[in-house]
Amino acid sequence: MGIDLLAAYGRNEPCWCGSRRKYKSCHGNQRPSSQPGAPLPPDREGSRFLSPSTSLATGALGRMMPAGTGITLPADGPEPTAISYTNWEADLGSALDGDGDAMSIESLGGLRVEVLRRLAGLPASEDPPSDQIIQAVYRLAAETVRTVAQLVRQTPRPAMLWNQELDVAQFLGRTLLLADHVLYPDHVFDSLRREPSARQLKEDATSELMNAELLASGIAIPVPAGVAMATQGRAAQELTAGDLKTPELVAWVHSQLIVEGPTAREALFVRAADDLAQDAANFWLHGHIDRGSMDHETGRFKTSMLQPYDPGFDYEPWINQVKNSAIGALVQRTHERIVAADVFGAEYVSASLFEARLLRTRERTARIGPAQAALWADIPELTTMRGPDLAKLLTNEGAIEDLRRQVRAALKTARTDAENIDAITELTHQLEAASLNLQKRSRTDLAWKAVIPGGLSAASMVLGTVTGGLVAASGGALGALATLAPFLGDRMNTRRDAAYLFVAARRGRQ
Ligand SMILES: [Zn+2]
């Protein structure tokens, strides 16, 4: 059944992430992946190992911390971190309050697939892409911002959901097809920030095209997320600063940290328990100040990093600083996602249990919405569908409408998050059962159609024999029509039934 967001998770329960593995062998494994000072494998050419399982490209460190990087005294506690965006994204922000002259969602989707196909056709070269290519990606981003701004002004406003963790097809299934549009960061656009090679852009575009059907129909809309940071990044920092002043919240995040290291090269990797990503997003390196290098006039000195682990050294003060920094980064990451969703007029849905718990810790009275409840519910059929099948499924407007109506009805009496999640789990199991019936019935339909050799007049003969000559007696085709009409009508209606979606989902998978 559903889950209580704040309760500990059962070791033998299926994991909350939808992997279908037991919790204990999936996200329940919360040990750091190596012990302090654990030996490293020999370095490969062009990279150096920071931990037994992570290596860093030679030269990457120099790019992250060029000579002359300022040193600031560590704060007493966790603090918000800097917001990063480019001038491009600041410019694109102006397209948000557009003048109503935007592309339709379908034309935008068509344009996107066209641009992506062009990028996917680039040579796999290490040269930078041409200016023309860069401009095409930039223009596409600008059109996207304009079209999304117009979607938001529509009444009734389409259901727009924001998620930046899951593949868009998986996300649509796990949120029970409740979204008209799924918005997420445009990885191809983001790639341009890192001055990519043509090969890199080609790879990014090719992986994006896995969902070509969802993109073309405008169901999946990648947006330049940096635009949200350029316009509202301050809000994310302020929300973070507010949270970091709440001792209870800081203590809770602190209790969730999983720290690996110091490794044999004095690196620390920090992640949060029950976060969706199981690899640490951030690492920290211990810096030794070379006292002999101190220039008292300029205040410049050299630091050396990646030094061997020293079991006699007291790393504790440094580890505590790093934990504070990790707490700040994790809290701010959530606020940046929420603010980005808000800027683009979407509802934020998280796929990370850590994040859901963080939000619940900061606001105990708020209740999660239907899409977020669906994400934590047990919905087996729809979650394994692929982009092309999903795009087809979503054209069944009647059935989708019926499904959403049933979700609203199911949630009417739910009072808590756990009840919300349970109600959706129960509803999907009912629909599942109804869909099996529907499938059985349509199989009978098929068998029935197979015995009809031709058009309606032939049908009257078959029916005639079945009903003991009654139809035949009432005069051929006309009588058959009267009998057939309600029968066929019933079958037509099943396509407007939510359960039909589950039949289609099963067929798509086979
Ligand atoms: Zn898991």
Side-chain angles (χ1 to χ4, degrees):
M1 281 311 256
I3 55 175
D4 177 355
L5 292 179
L6 293 178
Y9 221 71
R11 289 175 48 76
N12 287 313
E13 282 181 73
C15 192
W16 51 264
C17 72
S19 67
R20 307 258 137 212
R21 278 154 53 204
K22 280 186 181 168
Y23 177 63
K24 65 180 175 192
S25 53
C26 193
H27 281 83
N29 178 6
Q30 295 173 354
R31 279 188 304 268
S33 31
S34 75
Q35 291 304 304
L40 305 179
D43 290 325
R44 293 188 212 109
E45 204 184 314
S47 70
R48 300 180 80 184
F49 276 96
L50 296 186
S51 78
S53 54
T54 317
S55 62
L56 184 71
T58 321
L61 202 57
R63 280 200 297 281
M64 281 187 282
M65 282 187 80
T69 298
I71 300 271
T72 45
L73 278 175
D76 283 343
E79 283 195 318
T81 48
I83 294 284
S84 104
Y85 56 88
T86 62
N87 289 342
W88 288 7
E89 287 155 333
D91 285 351
L92 281 177
S94 61
L96 269 174
D97 9 81
D99 43 14
D101 198 20
M103 290 175 90
S104 75
I105 193 73
E106 293 80 12
S107 322
L108 178 70
L111 178 66
R112 182 177 315 281
V113 171
E114 208 179 291
V115 170
L116 287 174
R117 292 230 162 98
R118 243 184 92 192
L119 296 180
L122 285 175
S125 102
E126 293 308 316
D127 296 335
S130 70
D131 286 353
Q132 219 189 352
I133 291 283
I134 294 174
Q135 274 168 20
V137 177
Y138 181 76
R139 249 182 241 148
L140 179 64
E143 292 301 341
T144 305
V145 173
R146 251 178 239 127
T147 298
V148 168
Q150 200 180 42
L151 274 183
V152 175
R153 289 194 292 267
Q154 274 176 18
T155 41
R157 192 202 274 204
M160 290 153 74
L161 300 182
W162 177 276
N163 176 268
Q164 47 193 92
E165 296 164 292
L166 297 177
D167 167 70
V168 63
Q170 203 194 0
F171 179 74
L172 270 164
R174 285 191 66 188
T175 48
L176 202 51
L177 314 176
L178 288 171
D180 292 314
H181 307 286
V182 176
L183 278 64
Y184 55 96
D186 183 340
H187 302 301
V188 176
F189 184 84
D190 287 346
S191 195
L192 282 190
R193 291 171 62 158
R194 293 185 291 271
E195 294 170 13
S197 61
R199 184 185 50 80
Q200 184 62 51
L201 268 191
K202 177 191 179 78
E203 282 170 15
D204 291 340
T206 307
S207 90
E208 199 65 30
L209 280 170
M210 299 268 287
N211 289 312
E213 291 81 1
L214 293 173
L215 292 167
S217 57
I219 295 164
I221 313 178
V223 296
V227 170
M229 289 306 105
T231 55
Q232 292 295 330
R234 257 196 110 72
Q237 279 181 313
E238 279 162 18
L239 286 164
T240 306
D243 278 0
L244 295 179
K245 287 196 192 101
T246 314
E248 189 202 10
L249 184 134
V250 171
W252 180 79
V253 179
H254 189 273
S255 72
Q256 301 299 300
L257 298 180
I258 300 171
V259 179
E260 177 186 2
T263 65
R265 278 201 171 115
E266 294 189 314
L268 281 179
F269 293 80
V270 187
R271 64 183 175 103
D274 285 312
D275 201 9
L276 184 72
Q278 287 174 283
D279 300 321
N282 294 315
F283 65 89
W284 286 260
L285 301 175
H286 193 232
H288 296 265
I289 295 173
D290 175 0
R291 294 193 187 277
S293 74
M294 179 64 95
D295 177 338
H296 289 280
E297 238 164 69
T298 61
R300 277 171 171 258
F301 56 86
K302 284 183 181 156
T303 56
S304 34
M305 288 185 268
L306 304 179
Q307 298 302 299
Y309 174 72
D310 175 1
F313 184 81
D314 178 15
Y315 288 102
E316 216 41 46
W318 176 56
I319 294 174
N320 286 331
Q321 278 171 28
V322 166
K323 281 183 177 169
N324 278 339
S325 164
I327 292 169
L330 282 165
V331 173
Q332 186 161 322
R333 183 190 67 177
T334 298
H335 286 305
E336 286 184 10
R337 290 170 174 180
I338 292 172
V339 164
D342 196 54
V343 166
F344 294 110
E347 181 192 338
Y348 180 60
V349 175
S350 174
S352 155
L353 187 59
F354 163 76
E355 206 167 74
R357 286 172 168 165
L358 173 65
L359 291 170
R360 187 48 72 245
T361 306
R362 81 187 287 279
E363 211 172 332
R364 289 194 179 268
T365 51
R367 292 274 84 95
I368 54 177
Q372 183 71 69
L375 197 125
W376 302 128
D378 178 21
I379 314 174
E381 275 314 333
L382 300 174
T383 50
T384 48
M385 293 194 71
R386 298 168 48 88
D389 299 322
L390 260 175
K392 239 181 273 162
L393 197 63
L394 285 161
T395 58
N396 292 287
E397 280 173 33
I400 296 282
E401 193 35 59
D402 183 42
L403 178 64
R404 294 181 185 173
R405 189 185 50 73
Q406 294 202 43
V407 168
R408 282 194 297 274
L411 292 181
K412 225 166 208 167
T413 55
R415 299 259 173 274
T416 63
D417 287 344
E419 281 177 20
N420 265 341
I421 297 165
D422 284 346
I424 289 191
T425 302
E426 200 175 313
L427 171 65
T428 50
H429 288 187
Q430 279 168 12
L431 288 171
E432 180 86 48
S435 77
L436 287 171
N437 271 332
L438 201 62
Q439 205 168 7
K440 243 185 261 159
R441 259 172 36 202
S442 52
R443 245 184 244 129
T444 330
D445 274 4
L446 276 179
W448 181 78
K449 278 187 198 124
V451 299
I452 306 174
L456 217 50
S457 57
S460 78
M461 287 163 55
V462 177
L463 281 175
T465 57
V466 170
T467 55
L470 198 71
V471 174
S474 70
L478 233 161
L481 254 182
T483 324
L484 276 172
F487 188 66
L488 281 180
D490 183 36
R491 290 303 180 273
M492 300 290 210
N493 270 332
T494 57
R495 284 174 175 262
R496 277 182 237 136
D497 189 330
Y500 171 75
L501 296 169
F502 288 72
V503 177
R506 248 193 316 273
R507 277 196 199 133
R509 219 183 26 213
Q510 277 156 9

